[in-house]
Amino acid sequence: MAQSPWGKRPSGNGGGMRPPSGGGGGQPQMDLDALLRKAHERMRGAMGPDGGASEKRIAGMILAALAVLWLISGVYRVNPDELGVVLRFGEYQRTEGPGLNYHFPYPVESVMIPSVTTVNKVEIGGGGAVENPTIRRASAEMSYLPQNHESLMLTSDRNIVDIGFEVQWKIDGTNPQDFLFNVRDPAGSVKAVAESAMREVIGRNKLEDVLTTAQSQIAEDTKAIMQRIFDQYKAGIEVIAVNLSKPDVPDPVLGEFQDVKRAEQDKETAESVAEGYRNDIIPRAKGEAVQMVQAAEAYKNRVVAEAQGDVARFNKIYEQYVNAKDVTRKRMYLETMEAVMKGMPKVIIDESAKGTGVVPVLPLPAVSQPKASE
Amino acid sequence: MEKILIKIGAALAVMGVLLYSSVFIVVQTQQALVLQFGEIVREIKEPGLKFKLPFVQNVIFFDNRLLDFRAQPAEFISKNRETDVEERVVIDAFVRYRITDPVLFYQAVRTEANLASRLNSIVVSNMRKTLANHSLSDLLSKDRAAIMEQIRLQVNRQATRGDMEDRAEGSVGVETTQRRGQGFGIEILDLRIVRADLPADISQATYERMRKNFTKEAQKFRAEGEERALEIRSKADREKVEILAKAQKESETIRGEGDGEAAGITASAFGRDPSFYDFYRSMQAYRNTLAKEDTTVVMSPDKGFLKQLNQ
């Protein structure tokens, strides 16, 4: 580094015009000003040999007023959301907080007042691919890229996903000078870095995950990568958030993709219809089963009860029968016959009268007919 | 007296002009070279108020910040490991660099525009080299960061040291002031691949494949739905049959039990006098079976019920 004695900032002794350094920077400038003013006054006096003292005084007052105005021009205001970064002869000097501040007037010091709370937004994809004009290109031929769609990205399973997102960032308030001095076009960098980071993250994920569950993870990963890059650049940029709009498949395959969604629905529908069928027939079958068993129980109880009834009745009769066997038997027989024969068509054939030639021909159908012929 | 004043004034004016042409400011974001008759005499990397010889020296400024450069998208051939087929990939990348040695930078390229075309060919050639050993699948994986770093290191080595191994591909008609082992006086701080994409015609094929996959997937879902539905239905049908069969079995058993019990009860009672039971039960059966109207009895008055008629 070739550096002449002049180049050293706090130069040893460069005469009366050495650049101001440190806190007492204003002093030489004032001296210079006073010197100039004095010189001017002398010249005035020289030009008008008979000029009055009042003329001199007016000129002096004008110069003094100009000097005051010049000094006042160093007053500047920093709003609560801003910081004042003061440069002295182009070199970073100090950072001032909000309020009314003063810097030595031009050309000694100047101030840059970046807003450190404003949240800036960069949108990528989602509505018209806008190329960032601030990124320098070597006569870029963009025809290679598919329709210049910045939102179309390749996934790890080599599908193309359409993902738009927004990056929110702000200037890192603790080091505003990083933002101002370290990177050319930091705002443009945000977009380029965001796209690169997002493509890297999408490239690690499968299409299905990108479309379903992995979205918050993707946003988080992208944010982390971006922040790491900006920290590496010392760009003074703080990434606040990466917001994904809903990722989708590209337009050319949208129809088929939606059909997949429908098919998924169809599957669920078919399943639930079948479940409905099952829920319909199983309870019915169970009911029927219970009914059958109950009927059987009823039958069992009935036949047992009937048997018991029969037995009870038989036993009663038998008790009597034992006492008078023949009589009871006879009576039972006659009672039964009486009951059975009563009202029954009867044909009585005397077999002893065979010789009379009565042939017992029974017109069987006729016998059973009378009811039908009515 | 007045003449002295004029002289002083003139001297001051001359001093002003001299001051103006000998003082310059290097801003925080800049570095500068002082040239004397076109020859570099001084390099200034610190910002602040600087001095130079008036008239004979002039200053050129360079950016001190991190600068951006976006490489032209270029097409590469890489082997797809899965299918073992070579495929075309379009990659574009950006580079972040800083001018670390303004002297070298000025000697080698002078301006950023000149650097851009040189850097582009270096980036492209190094990407080509690296991608010969990697596939697109590697870029679509966790390895991407490592691959980018690898390319960055190579590009950085060439840009700072000037190891132009493949000069034939590298410099395209730009005057080569860069000597071997010298470089551009820049440092490559970052190289990031933005897009690693398939060319437009392959993209169409990709869409086609995606369409087919989606169609397959949809079919699969529907078929699975059918399968599940049939499974559920047939299981339900089976279950129904089983339930009913079980109930049938149970009810028959119960009925049998009833019949058995009834038979047991009657047998124990009636067994006391079988002949009477025969008679008794016959009487009952007559009452129940011989209905009134539809039975015609042909009887002989000789015996049985009517025997009393033959007195």
Side-chain angles (χ1 to χ4, degrees):
Chain A
M1 225 171 79
Q3 197 158 34
S4 85
W6 301 347
K8 288 189 177 141
R9 204 164 42 76
S11 66
N13 192 354
M17 297 180 293
R18 88 184 131 89
S21 61
Q27 209 52 39
Q29 211 58 33
M30 304 276 273
D31 288 347
L32 185 69
D33 201 59
L35 204 67
L36 277 168
R37 198 167 58 221
K38 219 182 263 176
H40 225 88
E41 280 171 21
R42 295 264 169 84
M43 276 160 76
R44 278 283 163 134
M47 279 189 292
D50 52 4
S54 61
E55 213 173 299
K56 275 187 188 174
R57 209 184 298 152
I58 288 166
M61 277 168 72
I62 290 169
L63 282 170
L66 284 175
V68 167
L69 278 178
W70 180 71
L71 286 172
I72 285 174
S73 75
V75 174
Y76 65 97
R77 198 180 68 174
V78 177
N79 290 327
D81 61 327
E82 295 169 336
L83 287 173
V85 177
V86 178
L87 303 175
R88 177 174 301 156
F89 292 120
E91 183 185 5
Y92 169 71
Q93 195 65 31
R94 62 185 183 274
T95 301
E96 304 274 15
L100 215 53
N101 293 307
Y102 184 75
H103 69 82
F104 289 110
Y106 180 85
V108 181
E109 286 187 350
S110 60
V111 66
M112 300 171 94
I113 308 175
S115 167
V116 292
T117 54
T118 306
V119 175
N120 303 284
K121 290 177 184 172
V122 179
E123 216 170 293
I124 289 146
V130 186
E131 282 301 321
N132 193 335
T134 54
I135 300 294
R136 191 174 303 270
R137 288 173 183 284
S139 63
E141 279 275 342
M142 299 303 291
S143 61
Y144 270 133
L145 301 175
Q147 282 82 54
N148 201 11
H149 280 162
E150 59 184 2
S151 61
L152 295 179
M153 303 187 184
L154 267 185
T155 60
S156 68
D157 47 2
R158 288 172 183 246
N159 289 311
I160 297 170
V161 65
D162 190 348
I163 194 165
F165 64 105
E166 178 198 72
V167 175
Q168 295 182 350
W169 62 277
K170 68 181 189 67
I171 299 169
D172 180 6
T174 54
N175 291 74
Q177 65 270 30
D178 280 355
F179 179 80
L180 295 172
F181 306 131
N182 280 356
V183 178
R184 183 171 66 189
D185 184 23
S189 282
V190 173
K191 182 163 178 154
V193 167
E195 195 184 339
S196 168
M198 181 59 81
R199 283 176 184 278
E200 182 180 339
V201 174
I202 294 293
R204 307 200 289 237
N205 284 280
K206 286 199 161 77
L207 176 68
E208 203 190 326
D209 299 338
V210 173
L211 293 174
T212 54
T213 52
Q215 284 162 28
S216 60
Q217 188 61 44
I218 288 167
E220 217 167 279
D221 289 355
T222 306
K223 185 185 164 208
I225 290 177
M226 287 184 72
Q227 191 61 62
R228 205 177 58 231
I229 292 169
F230 289 134
D231 289 350
Q232 184 202 338
Y233 292 174
K234 290 194 174 56
I237 288 172
E238 193 183 324
V239 180
I240 298 167
V242 173
N243 299 323
L244 265 67
S245 64
K246 200 178 156 10
D248 216 336
V249 295
D251 286 342
V253 298
L254 200 58
E256 282 77 2
F257 178 68
Q258 282 168 347
D259 192 44
V260 172
K261 296 275 156 226
R262 276 197 299 273
E264 233 168 331
Q265 294 285 324
D266 290 351
K267 178 183 169 183
E268 272 166 39
T269 309
E271 273 186 37
S272 60
V273 166
E275 299 268 7
Y277 171 75
R278 190 179 70 188
N279 291 344
D280 181 41
I281 67 161
I282 296 298
R284 280 173 194 275
K286 281 184 178 158
E288 215 176 310
V290 170
Q291 195 187 13
M292 282 166 77
V293 172
Q294 290 304 319
E297 293 280 6
Y299 170 81
K300 175 185 168 182
N301 291 343
R302 180 171 62 81
V303 293
V304 169
E306 276 175 2
Q308 284 166 344
D310 287 349
V311 166
R313 185 175 172 184
F314 176 79
N315 284 346
K316 290 289 175 206
I317 291 169
Y318 187 68
E319 278 168 28
Q320 300 308 313
Y321 169 73
V322 172
N323 293 339
K325 281 189 180 179
D326 285 345
V327 175
T328 307
R329 201 175 175 120
K330 204 74 191 165
R331 183 181 55 80
M332 279 174 73
Y333 175 74
L334 289 175
E335 274 175 6
T336 304
M337 284 305 134
E338 190 177 38
V340 168
M341 296 280 176
K342 194 194 262 173
M344 195 185 267
K346 292 169 279 283
V347 178
I348 301 168
I349 297 167
D350 189 355
E351 274 176 43
S352 61
K354 262 176 202 164
T356 57
V358 178
V359 179
V361 177
L362 290 180
L364 285 173
V367 168
S368 53
Q369 214 60 351
K371 232 168 48 173
S373 64
E374 274 177 14
Chain B
M1 168 69 175
E2 285 171 6
K3 282 192 174 156
I4 293 170
L5 283 181
I6 290 168
K7 276 179 190 166
I8 291 173
L12 280 174
V14 169
M15 274 173 67
V17 171
L18 283 177
L19 189 73
Y20 187 76
S21 66
S22 62
V23 174
F24 62 96
I25 287 173
V26 176
V27 185
Q28 184 80 29
T29 59
Q30 290 174 325
Q31 44 195 335
L33 290 179
V34 177
L35 269 63
Q36 187 167 332
F37 302 122
E39 202 161 316
I40 301 163
V41 292
R42 196 148 54 91
E43 180 190 56
I44 300 165
K45 300 191 94 171
E46 297 296 318
L49 192 65
K50 311 289 174 186
F51 299 92
K52 65 181 177 69
L53 290 179
F55 312 123
V56 296
Q57 291 186 338
N58 63 314
V59 188
I60 44 176
F61 296 97
F62 299 96
D63 218 305
N64 194 23
R65 293 173 293 186
L66 201 59
L67 304 178
D68 51 78
F69 162 74
R70 187 147 183 170
Q72 195 175 340
E75 210 173 282
F76 300 94
I77 305 289
S78 88
K79 185 168 263 189
N80 185 339
R81 290 233 190 83
E82 287 117 56
T83 59
D84 209 37
V85 174
E86 294 198 328
E87 60 186 353
R88 291 182 296 149
V89 184
V90 175
I91 295 179
D92 80 344
F94 67 75
V95 163
R96 290 284 184 275
Y97 68 97
R98 201 189 287 280
I99 300 170
T100 49
D101 189 342
V103 176
L104 205 54
F105 183 83
Y106 180 71
Q107 286 171 344
V109 288
R110 277 181 201 246
T111 65
E112 274 183 52
N114 285 339
L115 175 73
S117 63
R118 303 278 296 276
L119 203 52
N120 194 54
S121 50
I122 293 178
V123 169
V124 168
S125 74
N126 279 297
M127 288 214 280
R128 205 176 292 287
K129 244 190 298 179
T130 307
L131 290 173
N133 302 322
H134 293 95
S135 69
L136 178 60
S137 307
D138 295 337
L139 284 179
L140 299 174
S141 75
K142 288 203 189 307
D143 297 344
R144 187 179 181 123
I147 294 169
M148 291 192 293
E149 178 62 11
Q150 192 186 340
I151 300 171
R152 181 191 78 81
L153 285 172
Q154 288 168 358
V155 171
N156 188 44
R157 204 180 63 227
Q158 285 191 9
T160 52
R161 298 218 312 262
D163 300 340
M164 297 291 282
E165 291 152 44
D166 37 7
R167 186 175 289 257
E169 191 178 28
S171 50
V172 199
V174 185
E175 85 276 29
T176 318
T177 44
Q178 179 202 18
R179 290 183 298 274
R180 197 166 180 81
Q182 227 180 354
F184 303 126
I186 62 169
E187 187 192 350
I188 309 288
L189 275 105
D190 195 14
L191 181 148
R192 290 191 61 80
I193 290 171
V194 182
R195 304 177 198 202
D197 267 337
L198 301 164
D201 53 329
I202 302 184
S203 287
Q204 287 309 315
T206 302
Y207 288 144
E208 198 51 49
R209 181 171 53 74
M210 285 174 80
R211 268 197 287 270
K212 278 186 190 141
N213 283 346
F214 284 142
T215 308
K216 259 191 268 176
E217 209 174 331
Q219 281 172 343
K220 195 182 133 217
F221 275 135
R222 294 211 165 91
E224 277 175 2
E226 297 272 301
E227 183 195 334
R228 281 289 296 151
L230 279 177
E231 188 183 326
I232 293 167
R233 276 170 191 275
S234 54
K235 271 190 184 163
D237 285 338
R238 185 188 117 190
E239 214 174 319
K240 178 188 174 183
V241 169
E242 283 175 356
I243 288 169
L244 291 181
K246 200 178 145 206
Q248 183 78 33
K249 175 187 154 195
E250 199 179 335
S251 59
E252 290 304 331
T253 310
I254 293 168
R255 279 169 203 269
E257 278 170 17
D259 288 339
E261 210 172 313
I265 291 167
T266 45
S268 65
F270 301 147
R272 287 157 70 184
D273 187 342
S275 78
F276 178 67
Y277 174 71
D278 181 37
F279 170 75
Y280 169 79
R281 191 68 184 82
S282 297
M283 290 303 112
Q284 267 190 339
Y286 292 165
R287 277 177 194 266
N288 290 337
T289 57
L290 301 179
K292 279 171 187 142
E293 279 105 16
D294 57 354
T295 314
T296 304
V297 231
V298 179
M299 291 183 299
S300 161
D302 294 344
K303 32 186 149 124
F305 181 54
L306 296 183
K307 68 178 183 221
Q308 302 297 342
L309 288 178
N310 269 354
Q311 295 274 322

